[in-house]
Amino acid sequence: MTTLVYGASGHALVVADLLRKSGKDVFCYVDGVNEAREGEAFGGAHVRGARAVEEAWADGVREAVVAVGDNAARVQIGRRLQAVGYHLPPLTHPSAVVALDATLGDGTIVCANAVIGAGASVGEHVLINTAASVDHESVLGTGVHVSPGAHLGGRVAVGEESWVGIGAVVRDRIRIGARSVIGAGAAVVTNIPDGVVAYGVPARIIREVP
């Protein structure tokens, strides 16, 4: 299977490694921002501009993955690709552990050494990064990012497009609202509302997200 990778940064290299470990090839990397990178050798393939989305489809490519860290952009691009007709299956690194009854939405990426617990529900276009864990019966909305080494206890709920920073820990049964940011190394022991930045030990609301 040949896959179009939308994104051409360090995260795209991580995704490409995941694809190859899953027996898939990279058709090209798409940089929709910097057209000057057209034709650049990168990550074992080449970078192409945004028009490559339609061109790759015309060439018979039917599978894509979005390798973009920004949550809102990842969701937007993923939906654009789906509208073209691309299939964005969830991708799981061979070293990750995903419970048999956990569910992963389309476009979701589970990186190396991550763990998804029993009964967990992970929405579309979610990024579970390296060595992160989402424990039993937790629910993650569309476009969430759980950063490297972050850990969510059981029955945690995270709203759409929220970001749990590197090394953060979230106590069981906590609710984090939509489009909120949990800072690196935070310890979240109380519920967090929509659209705020919270960090510290214990995590406290610092400001609203602009």
Side-chain angles (χ1 to χ4, degrees):
M1 176 68 71
T2 300
T3 303
L4 178 141
V5 178
Y6 200 111
S9 64
H11 178 48
L13 297 177
V14 173
V15 170
D17 177 69
L18 189 161
L19 285 170
R20 289 171 179 135
K21 282 184 167 64
S22 302
K24 300 180 180 183
D25 296 321
V26 176
F27 179 78
C28 71
Y29 300 91
V30 176
D31 188 332
V33 177
N34 185 4
E35 298 286 343
R37 295 185 67 190
E38 178 77 32
E40 175 188 324
F42 179 83
H46 289 85
V47 178
R48 295 174 62 179
R51 67 181 182 278
V53 170
E54 286 73 25
E55 292 173 351
W57 179 264
D59 286 341
V61 179
R62 295 294 181 264
E63 185 171 290
V65 58
V66 183
V68 173
D70 180 272
N71 292 346
R74 188 170 62 254
V75 173
Q76 182 181 29
I77 294 165
R79 287 175 175 165
R80 176 194 166 196
L81 293 170
Q82 288 169 322
V84 171
Y86 283 99
H87 180 40
L88 277 69
L91 297 175
T92 302
H93 193 279
S95 67
V97 177
V98 179
L100 292 176
D101 64 348
T103 58
L104 304 178
D106 287 347
T108 283
I109 298 171
V110 182
C111 294
N113 295 318
V115 178
I116 311 293
S121 176
V122 179
E124 292 189 327
H125 312 298
V126 172
L127 174 55
I128 309 297
N129 223 314
T130 308
S133 65
V134 177
D135 218 325
H136 63 89
E137 301 166 280
S138 290
V139 178
L140 276 58
T142 298
V144 167
H145 180 185
V146 182
S147 296
H151 301 294
L152 277 55
R155 298 187 178 179
V156 169
V158 184
E160 62 181 21
E161 297 181 14
S162 281
W163 177 18
V164 181
I166 189 167
V169 293
V170 181
R171 199 196 71 190
D172 61 295
R173 301 174 186 266
I174 289 295
R175 298 184 65 86
I176 296 172
R179 300 177 184 85
S180 286
V181 177
I182 306 301
V188 183
V189 296
T190 58
N191 292 339
I192 302 296
D194 295 348
V196 298
V197 176
Y199 55 81
V201 180
R204 300 182 186 279
I205 297 170
I206 306 301
R207 63 180 182 274
E208 293 184 353
V209 173

Coordinates of all heavy atoms in Angstrom, one line a residue, residues 5 10-20 26 65-67 91 109 111:
V5 N 1.5 11.3 2.6 CA 1.7 11.9 3.9 C 1.5 13.4 3.8 O 2.3 14.0 3.1 CB 3.1 11.5 4.5 CG1 3.3 12.2 5.8 CG2 3.2 10.0 4.6
G10 N 9.4 17.1 11.2 CA 9.9 16.0 12.0 C 8.8 15.0 12.3 O 9.1 13.8 12.4
H11 N 7.6 15.5 12.6 CA 6.5 14.6 12.9 C 6.2 13.7 11.7 O 5.9 12.5 11.9 CB 5.3 15.3 13.3 CG 4.1 14.5 13.6 ND1 4.2 13.4 14.4 CD2 2.8 14.6 13.2 CE1 3.0 12.8 14.5 NE2 2.2 13.5 13.8
A12 N 6.4 14.2 10.5 CA 6.2 13.4 9.3 C 7.2 12.2 9.2 O 6.9 11.2 8.7 CB 6.3 14.3 8.0
L13 N 8.4 12.5 9.7 CA 9.4 11.4 9.7 C 9.0 10.3 10.7 O 9.2 9.1 10.4 CB 10.8 11.9 10.1 CG 11.4 13.0 9.2 CD1 12.7 13.5 9.8 CD2 11.6 12.4 7.8
V14 N 8.4 10.7 11.8 CA 7.9 9.7 12.8 C 6.8 8.9 12.1 O 6.7 7.6 12.2 CB 7.4 10.4 14.0 CG1 6.7 9.4 15.0 CG2 8.6 11.1 14.8
V15 N 5.9 9.6 11.4 CA 4.7 8.9 10.8 C 5.2 8.0 9.7 O 4.7 6.8 9.5 CB 3.7 9.9 10.3 CG1 2.7 9.2 9.4 CG2 3.1 10.6 11.4
A16 N 6.2 8.4 8.9 CA 6.7 7.6 7.8 C 7.4 6.3 8.4 O 7.2 5.2 7.8 CB 7.8 8.4 7.0
D17 N 8.1 6.4 9.5 CA 8.6 5.2 10.1 C 7.5 4.3 10.5 O 7.7 3.0 10.3 CB 9.5 5.6 11.3 CG 10.1 4.4 12.1 OD1 10.9 3.7 11.5 OD2 9.6 4.2 13.2
L18 N 6.5 4.8 11.1 CA 5.3 4.0 11.5 C 4.7 3.3 10.3 O 4.4 2.0 10.3 CB 4.3 4.8 12.2 CG 3.1 4.2 12.9 CD1 2.5 5.2 13.9 CD2 2.0 3.7 11.9
L19 N 4.6 4.0 9.2 CA 4.0 3.4 8.0 C 4.9 2.2 7.5 O 4.4 1.2 7.2 CB 3.9 4.5 6.9 CG 2.8 5.5 7.0 CD1 3.0 6.6 6.0 CD2 1.4 4.8 6.8
R20 N 6.2 2.5 7.4 CA 7.1 1.5 6.9 C 7.1 0.2 7.8 O 7.2 -0.9 7.3 CB 8.5 2.1 6.7 CG 8.5 3.1 5.5 CD 9.7 3.8 5.4 NE 9.7 4.8 4.2 CZ 10.1 6.0 4.3 NH1 10.6 6.5 5.4 NH2 10.0 6.8 3.2
V26 N 5.7 5.4 1.4 CA 5.3 6.8 1.3 C 5.3 7.2 -0.1 O 6.4 7.1 -0.8 CB 6.3 7.7 2.1 CG1 6.0 9.1 1.9 CG2 6.3 7.3 3.6
V65 N -2.4 10.0 5.3 CA -2.2 10.2 6.7 C -1.8 11.6 6.9 O -1.1 12.2 6.1 CB -1.2 9.2 7.3 CG1 0.1 9.3 6.7 CG2 -1.1 9.5 8.8
V66 N -2.3 12.3 7.9 CA -2.0 13.7 8.2 C -0.9 13.7 9.3 O -1.2 13.3 10.4 CB -3.2 14.5 8.6 CG1 -2.8 16.0 8.8 CG2 -4.3 14.4 7.6
A67 N 0.2 14.2 8.9 CA 1.4 14.3 9.9 C 1.6 15.7 10.3 O 2.6 16.4 9.9 CB 2.6 13.7 9.3
L91 N -3.7 4.4 12.4 CA -2.4 3.7 12.3 C -1.8 3.5 13.7 O -1.8 4.4 14.5 CB -1.4 4.6 11.5 CG -1.8 4.9 10.0 CD1 -0.9 5.9 9.4 CD2 -1.8 3.6 9.2
I109 N -3.5 8.4 15.0 CA -2.2 7.8 15.0 C -1.8 7.4 16.4 O -1.9 8.3 17.3 CB -1.2 8.8 14.4 CG1 -1.5 9.1 12.9 CG2 0.3 8.3 14.5 CD1 -0.7 10.3 12.4
C111 N 1.5 6.2 18.4 CA 2.9 6.1 18.2 C 3.6 5.0 19.0 O 2.9 4.3 19.8 CB 3.6 7.4 18.4 SG 3.1 8.7 17.2

